[in-house]
Amino acid sequence: MTSPSSDPIGVAVVGYGLAGQTFHAPLISATPGVALRAVVSSRPEAVHADWPQVEVLPDLDAALSRDDIGLIVVATPDALHAEQAIAALEAGRNVVVDKPFAQTLEQAERVAAVAARSRGVISVFQNRRWDADFLTLKRLIADGELGEIAVFESHYDRFRPQVTDRWKDRRDGGVWADLGPHLIDQAVQLFGAPQSVLADMARQRPGAHATDWFHVVLQYERLRVIVQAGHVAADASLRYAVHGTGGSFIKRGLDAQEGQSKAGLRPGDADWGVDPNPGELIRQIDGETTRQTVTPERGDYVRFYAGVRDAITTGAPSPVTLDQALTVMRIIDVGERSTAEGRRIEV
């Protein structure tokens, strides 16, 4: 469903957990040309505490019955992503799906097949393409500051040593399905799809129901990309360690936008997207080590929804295309098979 360019695109967010509350609703509300009209949730009090004027609907069907909603945002648990995305596409709506795109590669391919014959735009929410540190790193690589990259380490560790009853601690794929899509997508944006994958995944915490640690090597001709995440890291500060023929980039601390949203800040506030922990560029010059604090880019998750708006209203490319989303899902699938079979597997 395409909205006239003079009218905002009506949006319904399906689900009001972490994704809907912290990411989607605030970003939609901050994006010109789109309007948050409804939230599908069983917690109307939580929605109205944040957005008093937004209507709370009981289910996806109620959102699809409304002519003033042109974009459905699927922000529910993974198991619902494929079926809800397909229902919205078949109803002629545009769709944003939170990551992971689906529970399995097969489900993702089914969604893609429906999208191919649908008139709606579909995109997957890979917000961390607009992290401050990732934008900074892209700039450094594009400017040749690091030379030819040899090793790219991307970490997303946490200290959560106790298993909880949250659905995320029981989800199929565990932390690989949760954080893996972010790290894989960033790597593919920089270097393209790898030639092969060598993965090691484990359940490290007592009583863990699913993978809670992974160390995965994406193998290119010479480059090695290491993506790692786990829940037992009291020092979880390392984000990037990138080494090239021109120098190294070391970055600690996560992008600030998620924490800022939880604290009540909104896009457009003075400090929104400002990185409090700039990275460091390290070089060897005439045998001497030099260290330089890198001026960071500003994080800007709103650019995702601005891209979705433009894809719907002007036919611009989706900010995260189906091909890109499927590439990430293929690597997730290959990583699981590599772990199960204990060997390197070509992508």
Side-chain angles (χ1 to χ4, degrees):
M1 177 178 291
T2 301
S3 298
S5 58
S6 59
D7 297 327
I9 301 162
V11 185
V13 173
V14 185
Y16 205 66
L18 172 66
Q21 184 171 26
T22 302
F23 294 106
H24 296 288
L27 297 177
I28 291 162
S29 298
T31 306
V34 296
L36 181 63
R37 295 231 166 97
V39 173
V40 174
S41 177
S42 60
R43 301 188 304 134
E45 68 287 347
V47 178
H48 287 147
D50 297 331
W51 312 101
Q53 305 305 316
V54 170
E55 187 171 357
V56 178
L57 303 177
D59 51 38
L60 175 60
D61 287 342
L64 294 178
S65 70
R66 289 180 45 161
D67 292 335
D68 64 338
I69 292 174
L71 172 62
I72 298 292
V73 176
V74 177
T76 48
D78 307 353
L80 300 174
H81 286 189
E83 66 178 78
Q84 291 182 335
I86 288 172
L89 287 167
E90 289 180 337
R93 299 310 201 272
N94 306 289
V95 180
V96 165
V97 185
D98 207 302
K99 60 80 205 165
F101 185 18
Q103 266 192 315
T104 66
L105 176 59
E106 180 184 8
Q107 288 180 359
E109 289 172 338
R110 286 210 309 271
V111 177
V114 174
R117 58 178 185 268
S118 167
R119 56 195 175 97
V121 168
I122 184 169
S123 193
V124 176
F125 187 61
Q126 288 288 5
N127 57 301
R128 294 197 175 274
R129 292 187 186 186
W130 295 276
D131 278 358
D133 48 16
F134 183 66
L135 294 173
T136 303
L137 183 53
K138 281 182 67 177
R139 185 192 75 213
L140 292 175
I141 292 174
D143 291 347
E145 296 282 3
L146 300 175
E148 182 179 354
I149 306 301
V151 177
F152 182 98
E153 288 188 44
S154 180
H155 291 250
Y156 202 145
D157 294 311
R158 295 164 165 168
F159 188 61
R160 296 177 178 173
Q162 304 301 321
V163 176
T164 71
D165 289 330
R166 298 187 318 152
W167 71 268
K168 285 191 174 185
D169 272 346
R170 297 175 177 272
R171 77 196 308 167
D172 288 350
V175 72
W176 178 235
D178 183 20
L179 302 180
H182 285 315
L183 306 187
I184 295 166
D185 183 72
Q186 288 186 339
V188 172
Q189 284 298 293
L190 291 174
F191 307 115
Q195 296 171 345
S196 58
V197 172
L198 180 61
D200 184 14
M201 303 180 196
R203 300 180 184 183
Q204 292 190 325
R205 296 174 297 173
H209 304 287
T211 295
D212 59 9
W213 176 87
F214 65 79
H215 177 95
V216 178
V217 182
L218 309 181
Q219 300 176 331
Y220 298 76
E221 183 177 357
R222 291 188 296 273
L223 166 69
R224 293 296 181 267
V225 172
I226 298 164
V227 295
Q228 180 171 318
H231 287 322
V232 188
D235 182 351
S237 61
L238 182 61
R239 181 65 183 90
Y240 295 113
V242 185
H243 308 290
T245 57
S248 297
F249 177 70
I250 306 298
K251 173 65 171 68
R252 296 187 181 277
L254 286 173
D255 179 89
Q257 292 171 88
E258 177 177 348
Q260 288 175 331
S261 182
K262 289 178 178 177
L265 273 70
R266 292 291 178 257
D269 290 346
D271 292 334
W272 181 268
V274 174
D275 193 338
N277 302 297
E280 192 172 41
L281 180 60
I282 304 162
R283 291 192 172 104
Q284 294 284 337
I285 301 176
D286 297 329
E288 297 292 328
T289 300
T290 68
R291 296 177 178 273
Q292 173 190 349
T293 299
V294 177
T295 301
E297 297 291 319
R298 192 178 189 123
D300 190 5
Y301 290 167
V302 172
R303 284 167 58 183
F304 172 81
Y305 273 107
V308 171
R309 174 202 63 207
D310 293 346
I312 294 170
T313 59
T314 71
S318 170
V320 180
T321 67
L322 268 180
D323 284 346
Q324 293 167 348
L326 288 172
T327 294
V328 170
M329 289 300 302
R330 290 188 186 102
I331 295 170
I332 289 172
D333 180 70
V334 168
E336 291 173 343
R337 289 193 285 124
S338 173
T339 297
E341 298 175 21
R343 65 183 181 93
R344 177 178 67 88
I345 297 182
E346 293 185 358
V347 177

